Amino acid sequence: MTVTSAAARPGTAPRRASLELIGLSRRFGSVVALDGLTFSVPPGQVFGFLGPNGAGKTTAMRAIFGVVALDAGEVRWQGEPVTEQARRGFGYMPEERGLYPGMQILDQLEYLGRLHDMTASSARGAAQSWITRLGLAGRESAKLEALSHGNQQRVQLAAALMHDPELLVLDEPFAGLDPGGVDDMTEILAERARAGVTVLFSSHQLDLVEHICEAVAIIHRGQVVAQGAVSALERGDRLRLAVRVAGDPDGDWARQLDPQVASVEQVKSGTVLLVLAPGADSQRVLDAARAAGAVEHFSFATRRLSEVFRDVVGEDAPS
Amino acid sequence: MNRRWFRLTAIVAEREIRQRGRSRAFAISTIVLLLVVAAGVTIPAILAHNAKPQRVGIVGGPAASMTEIMQEAGRLTGTGVTVVAEPSVAAGEAALRSGQLDVLLVDDTEVVVKQVAIAGSNGSGGTLASAIADVAGLSKLLGELPPGAAASGVTLPVRGLTPPSASLSRRLTGLFTVVLVWVLISAYGSQIAMGVGEEKSNRIVEVILASIRPVQLLVGKVSGIGVLALAQAALMVATFLGLGAAVGSSLVHGAAPGIVITGAVFLVLGYAFYCTAFAAAGSLVSRQSDVGTVILPVQIPLILAYTLSYTVIYASGASTFYRVLGFLPPTAPVAMPVLYAAGDVPAWQAAISAAGVAVGTVWMARTAATIYGRSILRTGSRVRLRQVLGRAPT
C-alpha cells in the first residue's frame, strides 16, 4: 500500500527538493537492500527517514555518501549528481558510531574538519566552539574512550557539524541518548534546519519523529511505502470522523449511512471511525448521528504516525 | 590526482605521524632498538681489544729480520704477535689449515692465510696479514734497492688456501641490515594492519570515506607510518655508524658503502612492497583481534627469507634456493642484502633484483588498493579474498 499525501502530488509541489534519491537499487548477494528507492527532501527541513529494521535505511544513507556502491539509481544534490566535492559539504553521523577511541577529542574533530576542506586553524576553532556548545568544555584533551556513551555521541554529532554542512544525514541520532541528550539533539537539528540546512535522519522513535519532523519517508523492503508532510500523513488521504452516540455501543446508527457520504472504518468502545467520501459534507453525518440519539463526541480524526507506520509496513512493524 | 588529492592524503599521513610519533610505544621501541644496536656494536669491539695474540709462521729467510717484520706489522694493527718458525711451506700450510697458525710468511715472496676476505677496497685492509704483506714487501724493497726498485709494487701477494669469501665483519654488517629490514617491516607492517583493522572495526572509515577515497586513506596511512619507520631506521644506522666509529668496531669496518646503500634501498622497497599488503590484510577483518590471523600469510615469505639468511651469513656460498629467493619480490628485500653482503652476488644483480621488487611493489599496491577499497566497508564476517578479487564487487 502506498500513501502519498497531497503535498507530494505533482502540481502542488512545494519548494524545490535539495536532496533527491532516484531509483536506488542495491543487492547484497540474495538480499535486496534497496529496490528502486525514490524520494526527495526539501531544503531547510527536518526530514524523518523511517522503516523497520532491515528496510534499507542505512544502505540508502551510505549511498548518499558513496560509501556503498549502487547497482542502479542516482543521488542528486540541488539538481546535480552528487560529486566528491559536494559530499565534502555534507555532514554524516553513521549508525555505528565511528571515531578513534584513543585520540583526544579536540584533535579528532580538527582532523575530521580538515578532511572536509577546512584549514587547520578554522577546524580547531570550530571544534572548540562545538565542544563548548555541547557541554564538553574542559574535556578537549580527553580521549574519546574516557567519555560516557552520551558524551561520545555528542562528539560524534560535533564531528558531523564541524564544517557547517548544507546537508546533515544522521543515522539513528537519538539511539541511546538520555532525555537531556534528546532535547539537545532536537534543538540542534531544529536550529540547523532554521539556518537553511537540509536535515535527514532515521529513527525508530516515532513519537519523537512526529514531534520534530515536518515530513517523513517510510520505507519497507527497499522501497518507499509512504511519504509526505507529517500532518498530511496523519490526516490520511481522506477525512475521517470520530463520532459517539449515547446508548449505541456498537455504532449501529452508522451502518445506515449512505456510502456516498461516509463509510465505517472501525468501531471502538462506542466510538465510530468514519471515512468521509470525497466531497461529502460532514454535517450530513452529524445530522444522522443526532437523529440516532445524543451525540457525545464529534470530531475530525487523525492517526498517530505510529499507526500510519504499522498500516504501511504491516506485520513487520515493531510491536 | 591533483593538489587537493595530495593535500587530503597528507592530512591523513600527518595524523599517523603525530598520533604514533608521540605515543609511548614508539618512544619505548625506539629506545630499545637503539640500545640493542649500541650493544651490538660496542660489545664485540670491547671483546676484540682483549683478543688473543695471533700466531704467525715463518718459512725461510733470516729469522731475526722476519720476526722484526712481524712485530712491526703487529704494532701497526694493534695485534699481539707470536712468531713460530716452520720447517717448510707444506708444514706451514698444514698448521694454517688446522688453525695452529693465523698467518704464514714465506721468505720474502708471499703471505699465506687460510682464506682471503674480499671485503674492503684495498685487499683485506686492516688485517694482520695485509700489514705483514705491506711491511715485508717494504723490507724486501729496501733490501733489493737499487736493483729491482719498485717494479712490482711494495706489497707481497696474499694467498688464501681456500677460495676467497667476504669477511666475517662484512657478513655481520649484512646481518645487521637484514635484522633491521626484518624488524622494521614486521613491526610497522603489523601496525598498519592493526590500524586499518581498528578503523574498520570502530567504523570511523564510514566518516572518513564520506569525504575522501579509500586509496587516499590507504596511501596516507602507509606513508605516514613509513616516515616513522624510516626515521627510526635512520636513527639506528646513525647510531651504528657513529658508535662503531667511536669504538673502532670491526663491524663498521666491514660496512662498505655498498652494503649500507643496498640495505637502505631494500628497506625502502621492502616497506613499500609489504605496507599495502598489510593494509589490505587488515581491511579483511571486522574485529581487531582477528588481525593476527590475516597477516600471517603476508609475513610467511619474510619469515622464510629471514630464517634462511643465517645459513648464508655463517656459511661460505649461498644455496641456489636462497639465490632464487634473492630475486623474488616478496623475499628479495630480506634475501638480497644478505647475498650482497656475503659477496654471493655482484652489485648489478642486486640492482636487477631491486628493479624486480619495484615492479612487484606497483603490482602489489594496485592489488592491495583493490582489496582494501572493496573490503574496508564490508562488515560482518571476515571478508574472503576471492569475494573481493573477482571481476566485479558483489
Side-chain angles (χ1 to χ4, degrees):
Chain A
M1 172 182 173
T2 300
V3 178
T4 305
S5 75
R9 280 193 196 125
T12 57
R15 289 170 287 181
R16 195 168 65 101
S18 55
L19 178 71
E20 294 166 276
L21 280 67
I22 304 163
L24 305 190
S25 293
R26 172 68 167 146
R27 280 173 161 277
F28 294 102
S30 60
V31 181
V32 179
L34 299 177
D35 185 11
L37 182 78
T38 301
F39 71 91
S40 53
V41 184
Q45 269 199 5
V46 180
F47 192 93
F49 190 32
L50 314 177
N53 290 327
K57 300 186 297 291
T58 297
T59 306
M61 290 182 157
R62 286 180 177 165
I64 295 171
F65 289 91
V67 295
V68 70
L70 291 169
D71 298 332
E74 189 181 41
V75 178
R76 289 174 158 261
W77 174 247
Q78 290 173 343
E80 302 290 327
V82 170
T83 60
E84 221 174 302
Q85 179 62 35
R87 278 192 190 115
R88 276 198 283 273
F90 298 170
Y92 181 36
M93 180 168 167
E95 179 189 19
E96 294 174 81
R97 312 289 179 234
L99 290 174
Y100 292 105
M103 198 171 170
Q104 298 180 359
I105 61 173
L106 185 67
D107 289 349
Q108 188 140 222
L109 291 174
E110 180 192 330
Y111 172 62
L112 293 171
R114 291 178 69 197
L115 288 183
H116 284 95
D117 285 342
M118 296 176 87
T119 63
S121 61
S122 65
R124 208 161 185 80
Q128 185 64 63
S129 78
W130 277 111
I131 285 172
T132 308
R133 165 84 197 268
L134 292 165
L136 294 169
R139 314 231 31 202
E140 290 81 357
S141 55
K143 288 181 177 173
L144 185 82
E145 61 198 357
L147 301 179
S148 69
H149 178 84
N151 282 343
Q152 289 191 19
Q153 200 140 331
R154 286 181 164 86
V155 177
Q156 191 82 50
L157 175 66
L161 292 166
M162 276 292 294
H163 51 290
D164 198 12
E166 338 170 60
L167 170 68
L168 200 50
V169 176
L170 310 112
D171 201 352
E172 295 284 348
F174 294 99
L177 285 184
D178 63 12
V182 169
D183 290 345
D184 289 350
M185 181 72 76
T186 307
E187 190 191 315
I188 289 169
L189 298 191
E191 177 207 283
R192 292 287 88 205
R194 278 197 301 275
V197 174
T198 302
V199 181
L200 173 69
F201 78 95
S202 69
S203 181
H204 285 299
Q205 287 146 286
L206 298 175
D207 296 342
L208 201 59
V209 171
E210 201 165 37
H211 171 59
I212 301 169
C213 296
E214 290 163 68
V216 298
I218 302 176
I219 73 166
H220 185 37
R221 296 189 181 130
Q223 293 178 320
V224 172
V225 289
Q227 66 174 316
V230 172
S231 57
L233 285 173
E234 289 178 339
R235 197 173 60 235
D237 47 356
R238 281 182 290 170
L239 292 175
R240 283 176 170 74
L241 290 168
V243 188
R244 193 166 61 242
V245 175
D248 189 353
D250 300 326
D252 287 336
W253 67 271
R255 314 278 174 200
Q256 320 300 326
L257 281 171
D258 179 358
Q260 298 296 315
V261 177
S263 52
V264 177
E265 194 172 73
Q266 58 167 306
V267 181
K268 207 169 158 187
S269 48
T271 303
V272 182
L273 194 65
L274 292 158
V275 179
L276 208 58
D281 181 3
S282 60
Q283 297 308 305
R284 287 182 62 186
V285 177
L286 180 60
D287 293 343
R290 288 178 67 177
V295 176
E296 291 180 334
H297 180 93
F298 185 88
S299 70
F300 282 105
T302 57
R303 296 178 301 170
R304 300 298 305 269
L305 189 59
S306 53
E307 292 174 86
V308 177
F309 185 85
R310 285 200 186 88
D311 205 18
V312 295
V313 165
E315 72 278 18
D316 292 329
S319 52
Chain B
M1 288 191 219
N2 49 20
R3 271 182 62 200
R4 157 179 270 123
W5 193 97
F6 285 106
R7 189 167 50 78
L8 290 171
T9 307
I11 292 171
V12 175
E14 187 191 315
R15 193 199 81 90
E16 295 293 337
I17 295 170
R18 280 186 191 219
Q19 288 299 311
R20 288 170 198 277
R22 68 183 178 199
S23 73
R24 199 173 301 153
F26 181 74
I28 292 173
S29 72
T30 306
I31 291 169
V32 168
L33 286 173
L34 289 181
L35 287 177
V36 169
V37 170
V41 175
T42 50
I43 292 173
I46 291 164
L47 294 179
H49 280 294
N50 305 323
K52 65 178 169 62
Q54 302 256 297
R55 293 174 64 82
V56 183
I58 47 175
V59 180
S65 69
M66 285 180 76
T67 304
E68 212 170 286
I69 288 168
M70 295 304 174
Q71 275 152 1
E72 178 62 16
R75 200 181 56 73
L76 281 174
T77 55
T79 317
V81 172
T82 308
V83 179
V84 182
E86 292 290 340
S88 66
V89 174
E93 288 185 358
L96 269 180
R97 285 203 171 86
S98 68
Q100 287 171 319
L101 285 184
D102 298 298
V103 186
L104 183 67
L105 173 61
V106 181
D107 287 329
D108 54 2
T109 54
E110 67 172 350
V111 178
V112 187
V113 293
K114 195 171 175 183
Q115 193 175 42
V116 181
I118 58 168
S121 47
N122 54 343
S124 48
T127 66
L128 180 64
S130 71
I132 292 171
D134 287 344
V135 177
L138 193 61
S139 157
K140 178 187 176 188
L141 184 71
L142 291 172
E144 285 177 356
L145 277 175
S152 59
V154 293
T155 302
L156 295 188
V158 177
R159 175 164 66 89
L161 295 180
T162 52
S165 89
S167 68
L168 185 62
S169 65
R170 192 184 147 116
R171 286 161 180 271
L172 289 177
T173 306
L175 179 63
F176 170 82
T177 314
V178 163
V179 171
L180 187 69
V181 172
W182 151 256
V183 166
L184 288 177
I185 293 178
S186 305
Y188 283 94
S190 33
Q191 277 198 36
I192 290 171
M194 294 296 280
V196 170
E198 181 197 29
E199 285 174 353
K200 185 176 174 185
S201 64
N202 72 24
R203 310 300 299 155
I204 192 169
V205 278
E206 265 190 47
V207 177
I208 295 174
L209 295 186
S211 59
I212 60 173
R213 285 169 180 273
V215 70
Q216 289 176 290
L217 182 57
L218 175 67
V219 171
K221 187 166 216 64
V222 299
S223 49
I225 294 178
V227 166
L228 289 179
L230 283 181
Q232 213 170 42
L235 261 180
M236 286 163 75
V237 170
T239 308
F240 176 78
L241 294 176
L243 263 184
V247 301
S249 164
S250 62
L251 288 175
V252 179
H253 286 173
I259 301 180
V260 175
I261 292 168
T262 311
V265 166
F266 278 95
L267 173 63
V268 172
L269 284 175
Y271 178 82
F273 182 86
Y274 275 100
C275 62
T276 52
F278 276 105
S283 74
L284 296 176
V285 301
S286 289
R287 284 191 309 265
Q288 229 181 324
S289 53
D290 291 342
V291 168
T293 326
V294 290
I295 63 174
L296 189 64
V298 179
Q299 288 173 311
I300 283 175
L302 278 176
I303 295 172
L304 178 74
Y306 176 67
T307 316
L308 292 179
S309 65
Y310 285 91
T311 66
V312 179
I313 298 288
Y314 292 111
S316 53
S319 66
T320 310
F321 178 63
Y322 201 82
R323 283 170 193 268
V324 171
L325 293 188
F327 289 93
L328 297 179
T331 46
V334 168
M336 190 45 82
V338 181
L339 288 170
Y340 181 73
D344 288 323
V345 294
W348 65 268
Q349 288 190 6
I352 288 177
S353 165
V357 180
V359 172
T361 299
V362 173
W363 177 85
M364 177 60 90
R366 283 169 181 267
T367 312
T370 306
I371 296 173
Y372 179 88
R374 290 184 184 172
S375 55
I376 191 72
L377 288 163
R378 288 171 75 128
T379 46
S381 59
R382 212 178 88 199
V383 181
R384 304 274 154 191
L385 269 188
R386 113 180 95 74
Q387 291 175 299
V388 287
L389 278 181
R391 199 160 279 276
T394 52

